[in-house]
Amino acid sequence: METLNDFLIQKPRPLPVIVAIDRSGSMGANGKIEALNLALKDFINSMKDEDSNKAEIQLAIFSFGDESATYDIPLTPISQVSTQTFNAHGRTPMGEAFRLIKSLIEDKAQIPSRSYKPTIVILTDGIPTDDYDTPMNNLINEGRSSKAFRIAMAIGDDADHNMLSKFVSSPEYLIIGENARDIRKFFRFVTMSVSQRMKSQTPDIVQIPQKSDDDTLDL
């Protein structure tokens, strides 16, 4: 005998996308923070255009600068996210950002078990100014957060490439950018990656997106 459950439409599973951005003082040079604000706006608008009956993008944005990291946009369905403008000041407390991201992913009230694996995106042009090693290792090696897909952008020679190479899920997901122009290209790459997951029959199996010639970065 058929029941009411047989007629219920299965809700799309949440696909969390967690972005952590550097708003330290060095990001104020050479138009980087302005490029970042534009890139985030484009990224959010592009993600709103994605449609799938399998997955629902949910976006959270953290930032780190001054003396602390902050949870600026709580995990929210992408259709409800408003853009935000960031200013560049102070130091680079990246370790605190790692701790906050870890806390979010481990919270089953915010990211339920039925969710797809989160995507974590980090963008920075500097070296962490706080203790980052332990919180980063906890994030990538322990608990639910160890299953997340991780991508990063290092902007310029002053970024800690060695640290970021340990953070990413695969070497191909450490993107090296030379200047502000590359920030927008990086977020197009992130958009392609999330879009591929949305359209895939197996969203928890991540593949390297194919970049067009216009989006090629110096890797």
Side-chain angles (χ1 to χ4, degrees), residues 5 97 105 118 132 176 204 208:
N5 287 336
I105 295 176
Y132 75 88
I176 309 300
D204 276 343
I208 304 291

Side-chain angles (χ1 to χ4, degrees), residues 35-84:
L36 173 60
N37 285 322
L38 287 172
L40 277 174
K41 182 178 180 180
D42 290 346
F43 172 68
I44 291 169
N45 289 336
S46 295
M47 289 293 92
K48 286 181 178 180
D49 291 335
E50 295 292 333
D51 185 32
S52 170
N53 58 10
K54 182 183 294 289
E56 176 191 60
I57 298 172
Q58 297 187 353
L59 179 68
I61 295 184
F62 295 83
S63 64
F64 46 96
D66 289 317
E67 299 300 324
S68 65
T70 51
Y71 190 7
D72 301 286
I73 296 181
L75 192 67
T76 303
I78 192 67
S79 62
Q80 301 174 26
V81 174
S82 299
T83 57
Q84 184 169 336

Side-chain angles (χ1 to χ4, degrees), residues 182-194:
D182 289 334
I183 295 174
R184 298 189 76 175
K185 293 182 179 181
F186 171 68
F187 273 99
R188 290 191 202 118
F189 181 75
V190 176
T191 299
M192 286 190 291
S193 174
V194 176

Side-chain angles (χ1 to χ4, degrees), residues 147-168:
K147 300 177 182 179
F149 161 60
R150 302 179 303 277
I151 181 172
M153 181 178 203
I155 309 170
D157 294 334
D158 292 334
D160 191 337
H161 295 193
N162 181 58
M163 181 270 292
L164 293 173
S165 69
K166 297 175 182 177
F167 169 80
V168 293

Side-chain angles (χ1 to χ4, degrees), residues 1-10:
M1 180 178 177
E2 292 181 335
T3 66
L4 179 61
N5 287 336
D6 295 323
F7 297 96
L8 293 177
I9 298 174
Q10 184 68 34

Side-chain angles (χ1 to χ4, degrees), residues 7-180:
F7 297 96
L8 293 177
I9 298 174
Q10 184 68 34
K11 291 180 61 176
R13 290 170 60 184
L15 195 164
V17 179
I18 302 165
V19 178
I21 57 171
D22 187 341
R23 54 175 170 80
S24 63
S26 58
M27 285 291 292
N30 303 316
K32 285 180 285 189
I33 198 69
E34 291 84 3
L36 173 60
N37 285 322
L38 287 172
L40 277 174
K41 182 178 180 180
D42 290 346
F43 172 68
I44 291 169
N45 289 336
S46 295
M47 289 293 92
K48 286 181 178 180
D49 291 335
E50 295 292 333
D51 185 32
S52 170
N53 58 10
K54 182 183 294 289
E56 176 191 60
I57 298 172
Q58 297 187 353
L59 179 68
I61 295 184
F62 295 83
S63 64
F64 46 96
D66 289 317
E67 299 300 324
S68 65
T70 51
Y71 190 7
D72 301 286
I73 296 181
L75 192 67
T76 303
I78 192 67
S79 62
Q80 301 174 26
V81 174
S82 299
T83 57
Q84 184 169 336
T85 299
F86 293 93
N87 298 307
H89 299 287
R91 296 162 66 82
T92 313
M94 203 180 307
E96 185 176 355
F98 290 142
R99 283 190 289 270
L100 291 175
I101 294 170
K102 171 73 172 175
S103 178
L104 168 62
I105 295 176
E106 299 302 330
D107 185 351
K108 291 185 179 180
Q110 295 192 71
I111 300 182
S113 298
R114 69 184 295 269
S115 301
Y116 289 112
K117 295 176 182 178
T119 291
I120 305 174
V121 180
I122 299 281
L123 180 146
T124 181
D125 72 340
I127 296 173
T129 53
D130 61 352
D131 175 22
Y132 75 88
D133 194 51
T134 297
M136 185 181 76
N137 285 333
N138 290 342
L139 176 67
I140 66 180
N141 293 317
E142 297 182 4
R144 302 172 82 210
S145 62
S146 65
K147 300 177 182 179
F149 161 60
R150 302 179 303 277
I151 181 172
M153 181 178 203
I155 309 170
D157 294 334
D158 292 334
D160 191 337
H161 295 193
N162 181 58
M163 181 270 292
L164 293 173
S165 69
K166 297 175 182 177
F167 169 80
V168 293
S169 299
S170 174
E172 295 87 351
Y173 285 111
L174 173 56
I175 308 299
I176 309 300
E178 293 183 354
N179 51 46

